[in-house]
Every structure is written in C-alpha cells, then in structure tokens.
C-alpha cells in the first residue's frame, strides 16, 4: 500500500485486520504509528487515520476519495464487485418491485419500513406539504425561459430557506423533521414548475388525492383546459425510477450535501448544493448525455465507430451510461431500469423505438468487447433511464431534474444522519501544496 507523499511514507504492513485490528505505519524517521481498524456490519474494514496528522505531521493523499471513508452510515450499502445495493438492509430490487416511492422514502428517513398506520401518517404528512409559498412562484418569473431547469432548481431550492424560517434551526430535531418533509414534498412541485415555466404553460397546483408519482406527472403534463388521464403503467414506472435514484451512499452530490451541512448551513441551502453537484455530466447529467450520444450514433449510423472512439485513450469520448466508480459489475438499478423500459415503451406503443433498439445493440456490443470486459465497465442506472423518461414525455433537459427529485430524500436522510452523529465536525480536507514557497513581494511598478 503506497501513499503518494513526496518524501515516501512507507506502509510497512497493514497487519491482518481480522486478527488484531491494528494497522502499523512506519515513517521515514523510523517512528511507528498504530491505527485502529474498524469493521462495519458488512463491507471492507476501515483504517482509522484520524490521529495521523497530530501524531506524525503527515496527511493522507487521496484525490477523488477512492480509498477514503468520510463517515459512518446506516442508510445504504453497496457491494460494487457483486453489484449489490441495499437500503437499510433491503435489496433495491425488492424495494423497486414491492414498494411505492414514499414507502422507500420513509425507510431512508427512518430505520425501518413503515407499518400501514405509519405509512398512512407519513403519506399524509408529505401530501399536505406539497404546495409552495405563493410568493415563490414569482421567483420563477425572474429566470429566462430558456434557462436550464437545473439552474432554476439550484436557485429556487436555495431560496426555500428565505421562506421557511421556522425549519432552519438545525439544532432542533422537530425543525429538522419539518424541513425534511418540506423538501421531499415540495421538490416535485418545484421541478414541475420549472418545466411549466420553460414551456410557457401555467403552473399546475399539487393534488392531495393523488399518489406522489401521480401528482408529479399531473403537475408536469396536465393543462387547465382539459382532463389529464394518468396511465397507471407510467405512474408505476415513475415510482420505480424515483426509488432507483433515491439514495446511493456517499456519491459526489451526497458528499456535497454532507460537507455543506457540516458547517451548520440550513437544510435548504445544503440540498441546493447537492443539486449543483448532481448537475455535472459525470454524475446526474449522464442520462441526458446518453440520449445525446444515442442521437449522435443514430445520425452517424455506425455504432462501432463510437465504440472505437470510447476505447481510444487519446479521445476524451466515453460511452455515456457505462462505467461506475463503485460498481465493477452490472449496476442492479440498471437491471430494473431495463425491465421498466420494456413496460413503458410497451405502454406508450414504442416497443420498436429505434433508440431503444440501438441502446440494446450498443449494450450487447460493449458487454462482449474486451476493453469494456477487462475494465469492468457495465451499463449504469443512467443507460436506460433517459429512454424511459423520453418515452414518458420528459424532455432530456429535465432528466437530471428528475434525478434531483428522487435523490432529495437520500440527501435529506444523509444530512440528518450527519447532524445526529456525535463524531460530526466541520468537513475540512487538507492538501499537498505544490505552489511557490514564501517569496519577497515586488511592488507593481517594479515588476517586468
Ligand atoms: N467509456 C469508455 N471508457 C471508460 C468509461 C466509459 N464510459 N468509463 C471509464 N472508462 C475507462 C477510463 O478511460 C479508464 O481507462 P484507463 O484505465 O485506461 O485510464 C478506466 O475505464 C477507469 O475509469 P475511471 O474514469 O478511472 O473511473 P472513475 O471511477 O473515475 O469514473 C465514471 C467513473 C465517471 C462514472 C466513468 O465510468 C464515466 O465517465 N462514465 C460515463 C459517464 C456516466 O455514465 N456517468 C454516470 C455514473 S452513474 C451516476 O452518477 C448515477
């Protein structure tokens, strides 16, 4: 095991974790430091390096945090090698198959699945918080109509803290609970309003007689002038999409929420930070990028050319929807997503949608290609989600917004867990400084 510090820290050995739970680090000056090794309920052990700096004047160096655990958590477990994803111990496949979104939301926010009474109370809580302060609707009108919906989401979700002062005291558990409910309840309303504003249609108010997914579809696609029928296959698919994206351990946006929250920032500001992080194409923007890529391939007509580009180390092109930092196996969410794609495309009469056929062909070619096999690059959750969302009528610019709607409950659950963690401190990583050493200042008129 090597640490990339200039002056060669040398790990002598990580003594067998299972035997005595001690890792031993020998430094160049001959001193020895012992670190405790902790075990979770499942998954790899962790070496606790908290005292490294105070005892040795060294930091660890781990850009991208590929070997760094930032917290303890009871919410989500991923085994990337085996392709396993558990929420509070339950397999994602079982949750997606048997639960509605609010059931999974309850599970993430609490430690167990709700019983029927708890579910009724929770559903009611969320349903009765779906409207947003009327003045917030003015906020949308301040944006250009062609603004990306994620830009609008960052702004409006951050602005919630200016409207809900009675739920920003993070030291008060009851305020945290209300903020959590508000965020989960209002995020679909805000997302639908962002969409309606972009296409110049009137905002549609939430309806308390509908389920979470039905209400979202209604706010997105109905217009006041006519009755909107919600296809149960589509609302069921919406539920699955939301469940599959609800949480995913310490990914970039969740870590952003935790880091923002570690300073004591209010929950609405923290979730806005998460939305900003999710926007990037390497994270939540990937399903939008998949659709752009499939469109390009369709125009070009040659799948193999794109596969070749993806494999070329001198070409920055990557096969979007393939590969994952953690999964080195088929993403279990992608399996459910592919099945859902079949159901949705069937329901909307698009079984022979050329883009779906192309996606399946691309997947088959990549899964048999040595490059993708040896690098363990499998389809991730985003590979099929864009196709489903497009078939349901969502424009591609809204895909990441959908992801944000689903992930809000995960962010909120992780944020709450962080606040309640007695070990929690402000997040403050350090660095390996490679800039100038201290030097003499030259006044402006003396510089060449
Ligand atoms: N196409 C072609 N090659 C790839 C791809 C891909 N999609 N993904 C990774 N690789 C290659 C890399 O070039 C690298 O090759 P090298 O070892 O020869 O340098 C190797 O596989 C490892 O890739 P890394 O970038 O080191 O893996 P990392 O864990 O940093 O990246 C990521 C993961 C960002 C998801 C990456 O696979 C990717 O860019 N995929 C496409 C974007 C995407 O689908 N993102 C969605 C992620 S899921 C989510 O956020 C919900």
């Amino acid at each position: 095991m090597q640490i990339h510090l200039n002056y060669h820290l040398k790990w002598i050995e990580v003594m067998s974790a299972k035997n005595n739970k001690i890792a031993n680090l020998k430094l160049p000056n001959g001193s020895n430091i012992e670190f405790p090794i902790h075990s979770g309920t499942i998954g790899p052990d962790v070496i606790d390096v908290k005292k490294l700096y105070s005892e040795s004047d060294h930091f660890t160096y781990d850009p991208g945090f590929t070997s760094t655990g930032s917290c303890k958590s009871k919410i989500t477990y991923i085994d990337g090698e085996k392709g396993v994803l558990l929420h509070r111990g339950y397999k994602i496949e079982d949750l997606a198959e048997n639960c509605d979104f609010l059931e999974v939301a309850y599970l993430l926010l609490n430690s167990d699945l709700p019983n029927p009474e708890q579910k009724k109370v929770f559903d009611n809580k969320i349903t009765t918080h779906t409207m947003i302060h009327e003045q917030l609707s003015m906020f949308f009108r301040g944006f250009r109509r062609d603004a990306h919906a994620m830009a609008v989401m960052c702004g409006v979700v951050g602005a919630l803290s200016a409207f809900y002062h009675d739920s920003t005291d993070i030291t008060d558990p009851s305020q945290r609970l209300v903020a959590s409910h508000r965020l989960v309840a209002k995020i679909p309303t805000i997302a639908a309003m962002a969409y309606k504003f972009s296409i110049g249609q009137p905002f549609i108010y939430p309806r308390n007689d509908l389920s979470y997914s039905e209400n979202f579809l209604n706010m997105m696609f109905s217009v006041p002038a006519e009755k909107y029928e919600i296809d149960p296959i589509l609302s069921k698919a919406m539920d699955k999409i939301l469940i599959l994206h609800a949480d995913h351990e310490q990914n970039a946006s969740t870590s952003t929420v935790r880091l923002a929250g570690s300073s004591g920032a209010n929950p609405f500001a923290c979730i806005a930070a998460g939305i900003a992080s999710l926007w990037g194409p390497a994270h939540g923007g990937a399903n939008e990028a998949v659709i752009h890529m499939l469109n390009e391939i369709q125009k070009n007509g040659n799948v193999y050319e794109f596969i070749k580009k993806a494999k070329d180390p001198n070409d920055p092109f990557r096969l979007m929807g393939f590969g994952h930092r953690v999964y080195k196996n088929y993403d279990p969410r992608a399996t459910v997503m592919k099945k859902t794609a079949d159901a949705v495309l069937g329901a909307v009469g698009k079984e022979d949608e050329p883009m779906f056929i192309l996606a399946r062909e691309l997947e088959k070619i990549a899964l048999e290609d040595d490059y993708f096999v040896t690098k363990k690059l499998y389809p991730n959750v985003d590979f099929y989600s864009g196709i489903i969302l497009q078939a349901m009528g969502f424009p591609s610019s809204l895909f990441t917004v959908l992801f944000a709607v689903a992930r809000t409950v995960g962010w909120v659950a992780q944020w709450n867990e962080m606040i309640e963690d007695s070990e929690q401190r402000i997040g403050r990583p350090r660095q390996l400084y490679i800039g100038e050493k201290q030097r003499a200042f030259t006044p402006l008129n003396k510089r060449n």
Side-chain angles (χ1 to χ4, degrees):
M1 219 186 277
Q2 281 251 313
I3 291 183
H4 313 278
L5 279 177
N6 270 1
Y7 40 107
H8 307 301
L9 274 178
K10 203 166 133 215
W11 282 98
I12 293 292
E13 58 188 326
V14 175
M15 293 157 77
S16 165
K18 300 289 173 205
N19 290 342
N20 52 12
K21 306 274 189 187
I22 295 288
N24 207 338
L25 172 70
K26 188 164 184 193
L27 293 166
N29 66 8
S31 65
N32 241 24
I33 308 183
E34 288 189 345
F35 299 99
I37 294 178
H38 305 308
S39 300
T41 40
I42 32 175
D45 289 345
V46 301
I47 303 168
D48 180 346
V49 296
K50 278 201 294 288
K51 64 177 185 178
L52 174 66
Y53 178 59
S54 62
E55 294 197 0
S56 76
D57 201 25
H58 290 80
F59 298 127
T60 56
Y61 179 64
D62 184 18
F65 310 121
T66 50
S67 298
T68 298
S70 60
C71 61
K72 286 188 250 167
S73 182
K74 292 180 178 171
I75 302 172
T76 292
Y77 173 75
I78 303 172
D79 183 333
E81 291 299 324
K82 295 197 183 118
V84 172
L85 168 61
L86 310 177
H87 292 318
R88 305 271 187 201
Y90 295 103
K91 277 172 70 177
I92 188 67
E93 294 91 330
D94 291 340
L95 296 172
E97 194 54 50
N98 300 300
C99 297
D100 69 16
F101 175 66
L102 285 186
E103 219 170 325
V104 176
Y106 181 98
L107 175 70
L108 291 170
L109 291 170
N110 301 280
S111 44
D112 221 333
L113 284 164
N115 63 30
E117 184 53 29
Q118 290 165 327
K119 169 89 166 67
K120 208 168 122 199
V121 172
F122 182 68
D123 284 7
N124 185 265
K125 238 334 149 234
I126 299 299
T127 309
T128 52
H129 277 96
T130 46
M131 287 203 303
I132 60 167
H133 193 293
E134 194 57 24
Q135 190 129 346
L136 259 173
S137 61
M138 319 275 191
F139 220 87
F140 288 87
R141 300 196 165 93
F143 288 98
R144 282 170 55 138
R145 295 243 181 221
D146 62 355
H148 195 289
M150 284 300 271
V152 177
M153 295 293 287
C154 289
V156 177
V157 173
L160 290 176
S161 33
F163 287 84
Y164 298 102
H165 298 147
D166 59 344
S167 54
T168 51
D169 177 359
I170 65 155
T171 61
D172 177 349
S174 62
Q175 291 207 22
R176 290 206 302 274
L177 188 67
V178 176
S180 305
H181 291 158
R182 281 182 169 150
L183 276 157
V184 174
K186 293 180 199 311
I187 198 90
T189 314
I190 295 170
M193 288 173 84
Y195 173 58
K196 288 297 194 189
F197 180 74
S198 74
I199 56 170
Q201 286 186 2
F203 299 141
I204 303 292
Y205 285 102
R207 270 181 45 193
N208 290 3
D209 60 321
L210 299 176
S211 75
Y212 193 85
S213 291
E214 288 167 344
N215 177 48
F216 181 46
L217 291 174
N218 187 62
M219 290 188 295
M220 283 289 302
F221 298 121
S222 72
V223 287
E226 61 189 42
K227 198 166 171 1
Y228 172 69
E229 297 288 346
I230 302 161
D231 184 330
I233 297 182
L234 300 194
S235 60
K236 189 100 193 92
M238 190 75 249
D239 250 28
K240 281 202 183 10
I241 293 169
L242 295 177
I243 291 169
L244 293 176
H245 288 90
D247 191 51
H248 212 228
E249 208 225 60
Q250 308 310 321
N251 54 79
S253 57
T254 303
S255 299
T256 302
V257 169
R258 279 186 178 255
L259 196 56
S262 75
S263 71
N266 75 70
F268 305 107
C270 296
I271 301 306
I275 293 172
S277 167
L278 185 73
W279 194 355
H283 191 9
N287 52 9
E288 187 178 344
V290 170
I291 296 294
H292 290 313
M293 177 188 74
L294 292 173
N295 276 328
E296 283 303 305
I297 301 177
Q298 268 176 333
K299 264 191 253 157
N300 172 291
N302 188 347
V303 184
Y304 290 94
E305 203 174 295
F306 284 81
I307 296 274
K308 198 168 147 211
K309 268 164 75 64
K311 288 162 34 172
D312 181 352
N314 301 315
D315 191 324
F317 174 77
R318 285 183 168 199
L319 216 51
M320 298 314 289
F322 263 76
H324 196 275
R325 169 59 62 80
V326 181
Y327 292 116
K328 302 302 167 201
N329 202 322
Y330 213 97
D331 179 341
R333 301 167 302 170
T335 317
V336 182
M337 206 57 100
K338 196 173 171 185
K339 263 205 259 164
T340 310
D342 285 327
V344 168
L345 292 169
V348 299
K350 289 188 176 170
E351 300 92 330
D352 301 326
E353 169 73 33
M355 191 174 275
F356 191 35
I357 295 170
L358 171 63
R360 282 190 288 208
E361 187 189 347
L362 187 64
E363 179 191 354
K364 187 166 180 297
I365 296 169
L367 288 179
E368 287 168 1
D369 189 294
D370 206 40
Y371 172 92
F372 292 90
V373 173
T374 49
K375 290 190 189 297
K376 300 187 178 174
L377 299 170
Y378 292 86
N380 59 47
V381 67
D382 290 318
F383 191 64
Y384 285 107
S385 65
I387 293 170
I388 304 175
L389 293 172
Q390 187 163 266
M392 289 170 85
F394 289 94
S396 59
S397 59
L398 252 268
F399 294 175
T400 318
V401 172
L402 263 283
F403 196 157
V405 169
R407 184 56 59 86
T408 293
V409 68
W411 290 330
V412 167
Q414 300 267 355
W415 173 81
N416 274 299
E417 185 178 60
M418 179 202 64
I419 307 263
E420 284 161 19
D421 183 348
S422 57
E423 275 192 325
Q424 189 270 324
R425 302 171 70 190
I426 185 165
R428 177 53 169 100
R430 300 305 299 265
Q431 62 176 7
L432 175 62
Y433 177 68
I434 54 169
E436 295 288 345
K437 290 188 177 156
Q438 184 173 322
R439 49 182 166 162
F441 177 78
T442 316
L444 181 59
N445 60 0
K446 299 246 167 75
R447 283 176 231 152
N448 300 324

